[in-house]
């Protein structure tokens, strides 16, 4: 018999059954067709015994002794696996073909965006993604802290959240872009907190940390060059000060970086993760691997941009230039041995369809097991977080599209969905 004491969660798609922890059996015996965990083969016929929010035993039925009062949940044809994670998300955004990013930031009130984020958090949980890192509220100030609290206090349903609050960007570099507004327009909402110079950067980090941010996010580059070209936005000195301040507070740093130079500056400054990295070169990915900087490729975001702005049609059109560039970067990162997690930039596309990122990771060069590992054990490693469990219909180790068909969700001992 195998025993462990990890906290756990699970995934789902079917009838919704919300069972408060106090009302359900003290022990649950889960009986799927298969059990999978990173670094392990697929185990046929295994069962999982839980008590509260702990896994008590895993193994063949003959090796697991369940209490007499344990409630059994049969999951025929399903594979039980660690709860999926998406560690580049934006719960305060929704797809740009519904409402443009500018209009979301400028016209949607923060209370409305917060209520919508709660619904989007629930959709994410019910799709089997039990942990998110939310990388910026995009103009909704510190509302992610309230969203996280509401989930933790069981006021609403949602995944476990790690939040970055406002994110930090160089003055004049982010949006709504000043060049698109009248010069005399004052005090328009901004999608991130602006800072210039080392003292302002340090102050912004300390402010966000003091408010309760779990991560500090910085934009190492953005579309502020001539004619909106991507250019580095912070100096090497500013980035070093930002990372040193964040690390001194015990917080890791995520860097938005799409240019080679922006990535290089961020890596040399000591950030913990690079987000997007679409123009990364083999050299900069080797630098990331050498320094232990993780990579979140956000491949689905490029597909979504193609749909919204370049007439791309899923399953019919040839990949756009941006999608091909993202694939080249992803392939180069794989070859360089970079630690690659699952981060999709969901919010750019529909919440609850995070599984699309795993499918793209497989299309662009990973095996299904590598993609599943990225969305479970690797993301947990990047977050410095313990492992979780979930269940999907079919065998995702052979067919990654199985992650789109979740049949059971359990988080911290609470069943949210079951067949």
């Amino acid at each position: 018999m195998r025993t462990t004491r990890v906290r756990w969660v699970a995934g789902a798609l079917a009838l919704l059954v919300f069972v408060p922890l106090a009302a359900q059996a003290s022990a649950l015996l889960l009986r799927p067709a298969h059990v999978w965990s990173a670094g392990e083969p697929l185990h046929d016929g295994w069962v999982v015994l839980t008590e509260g929010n702990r896994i008590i035993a895993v193994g063949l039925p003959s090796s697991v002794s369940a209490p007499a009062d344990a409630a059994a949940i049969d999951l025929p044809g399903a594979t039980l696996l660690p709860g999926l994670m998406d560690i580049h998300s934006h719960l305060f955004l929704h797809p740009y073909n519904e409402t443009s990013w500018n209009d979301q930031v400028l016209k949607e009130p923060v209370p409305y965006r917060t209520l919508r984020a709660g619904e989007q958090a629930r959709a994410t949980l019910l799709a089997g993604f039990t942990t998110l890192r939310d990388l910026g509220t995009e103009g909704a100030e510190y509302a992610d802290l309230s969203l996280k609290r509401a989930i933790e206090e069981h006021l609403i349903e949602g995944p476990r959240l790690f939040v970055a609050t406002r994110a930090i960007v160089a003055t004049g570099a982010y949006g709504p872009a000043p060049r698109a507004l009248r010069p005399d327009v004052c005090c328009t909402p901004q999608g991130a907190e602006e800072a210039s110079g080392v003292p302002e950067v340090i102050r912004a980090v300390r402010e966000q940390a003091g408010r309760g941010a779990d991560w500090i996010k910085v934009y190492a580059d953005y579309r502020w060059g001539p004619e909106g070209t991507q250019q580095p936005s912070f100096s090497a000195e500013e980035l070093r000060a930002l990372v040193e301040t964040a690390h001194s507070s015990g917080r890791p740093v995520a860097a938005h970086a799409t240019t080679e130079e922006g990535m290089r500056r961020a890596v040399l400054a000591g950030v913990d993760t690079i987000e997007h990295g679409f123009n990364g070169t083999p050299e900069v990915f080797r630098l990331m691997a050498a320094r232990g900087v993780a990579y979140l490729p956000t491949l689905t975001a490029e597909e979504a941009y193609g749909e919204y702005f370049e007439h791309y049609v899923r399953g019919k059109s040839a990949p756009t230039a941006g999608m091909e560039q993202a694939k080249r970067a992803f392939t180069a990162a794989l070859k360089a041995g970079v630690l690659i997690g699952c981060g999709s930039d969901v919010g750019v596309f529909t919440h609850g369809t995070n599984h699309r990122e795993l499918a793209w990771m497989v299309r662009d060069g990973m095996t299904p097991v590598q993609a599943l590992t990225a969305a479970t054990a690797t993301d947990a490693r990047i977050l410095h977080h313990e492992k979780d469990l979930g269940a999907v219909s079919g065998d995702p180790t052979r067919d990654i599209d199985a992650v789109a068909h979740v049949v059971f969700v359990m988080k911290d001992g609470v069943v949210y969905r079951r067949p």
Side-chain angles (χ1 to χ4, degrees):
M1 180 177 76
R2 291 183 165 212
T3 61
T4 182
R5 291 182 176 271
V6 296
R7 287 161 60 92
W8 78 295
V9 180
L13 182 73
L15 297 176
L16 168 61
V17 180
F18 175 71
V19 186
L21 181 59
Q24 64 186 41
S26 59
L28 290 176
L29 183 65
L30 306 178
R31 299 191 292 215
H34 320 281
V35 173
W36 178 86
S37 183
E40 294 271 342
L42 191 70
H43 296 287
D44 297 331
W46 276 24
V47 298
V48 176
L49 179 66
T50 74
E51 184 174 356
N53 64 355
R54 294 187 307 159
I55 298 172
I56 303 303
V58 180
L60 291 169
S62 60
S63 68
V64 175
S65 299
D69 64 345
I73 297 180
D74 290 319
L75 301 167
T79 300
L80 198 65
L81 69 156
L84 299 171
M85 304 184 192
D86 186 340
I87 61 172
H88 188 128
S89 66
H90 293 283
L91 284 169
F92 288 83
L93 292 176
H94 57 100
Y96 302 162
N97 62 341
E98 297 174 356
T99 307
S100 71
W101 183 90
N102 267 18
D103 281 355
Q104 290 183 51
V105 175
L106 291 172
K107 298 179 181 180
E108 294 183 349
V110 172
Y112 168 82
R113 295 182 69 188
T114 305
L115 289 168
R116 185 176 189 125
E119 281 297 300
Q120 292 171 168
R122 180 175 178 271
T124 303
L125 176 63
L126 297 182
F129 283 79
T130 55
T131 299
L132 293 186
R133 182 181 59 157
D134 195 84
L135 285 182
T137 59
E138 305 292 334
E141 298 297 318
Y142 295 97
D144 53 352
L145 296 169
S146 296
L147 180 66
K148 176 182 177 180
R149 177 180 175 182
I151 292 170
E152 290 176 345
E153 293 180 358
H154 304 291
L155 298 178
I156 62 173
E157 300 168 15
R160 183 181 297 108
L161 292 184
F162 295 83
V163 300
T165 69
R166 298 177 65 191
I168 300 170
V169 69
T171 301
Y174 200 49
R179 63 180 173 273
L181 304 172
R182 284 172 40 176
D184 60 334
V185 171
C186 171
C187 310
T188 57
Q190 284 292 299
E193 182 172 3
E194 296 186 315
S196 285
V198 168
E200 286 192 16
V201 164
I202 291 174
R203 184 208 56 76
V205 172
R206 288 174 176 166
E207 169 73 10
Q208 294 189 16
R211 295 276 187 170
D214 300 305
W215 280 70
I216 300 299
K217 182 185 179 184
V218 62
Y219 282 77
D221 52 29
Y222 206 67
R223 298 188 296 269
W224 74 306
E227 299 183 0
T229 56
Q230 300 271 2
Q231 300 292 340
S233 52
F234 281 113
S235 69
E237 182 184 18
E238 289 170 319
L239 287 172
R240 284 195 299 269
L242 183 145
V243 172
E244 181 181 353
T245 305
H247 285 177
S248 292
S249 77
R251 289 167 175 82
V253 177
H256 167 113
T258 64
T259 65
E260 179 185 6
E261 178 60 16
M263 294 172 69
R264 187 185 67 81
R265 290 185 193 180
V267 171
L268 292 175
V271 303
D272 298 273
T273 66
I274 292 289
E275 315 298 315
H276 312 300
F278 298 138
N279 294 292
T281 61
E283 292 74 21
V284 78
F285 282 122
R286 285 194 290 268
L287 179 65
M288 287 175 61
R291 291 178 173 252
V293 178
Y295 178 42
L296 287 308
T298 66
L299 301 170
T300 313
E302 278 301 303
E303 178 187 55
Y305 290 136
E307 289 182 293
Y308 305 154
F309 309 120
E310 301 177 67
H311 309 291
Y312 173 80
V313 180
R314 267 187 274 170
K316 296 182 180 179
S317 302
T320 66
M323 293 164 66
E324 291 288 5
Q325 181 60 52
K327 179 178 180 178
R328 286 193 292 272
F330 185 72
T331 302
L334 274 174
K335 186 175 180 180
V338 176
L339 182 68
I340 302 176
C342 176
S344 70
D345 213 1
V346 67
V348 173
F349 61 98
T350 304
H351 293 279
T353 65
N354 313 60
H355 60 84
R356 291 165 57 184
E357 184 71 12
L358 283 84
W360 272 112
M361 295 169 89
V362 171
R363 290 189 198 109
D364 286 351
M366 277 187 169
T367 67
V369 168
Q370 285 177 314
L372 287 171
T373 300
T376 54
T378 302
D379 277 358
R381 176 179 170 185
I382 293 168
L383 293 172
H384 308 290
H385 187 60
E386 54 201 344
K387 294 179 181 177
D388 303 303
L389 273 188
V392 299
S393 178
D395 180 1
T397 66
R398 295 178 181 273
D399 177 13
I400 197 62
D401 289 333
V403 297
H405 307 289
V406 183
V407 295
F408 178 79
V409 176
M410 186 170 186
K411 174 190 168 194
D412 286 337
V414 179
V415 175
Y416 291 87
R417 267 190 167 174
R418 59 190 293 177

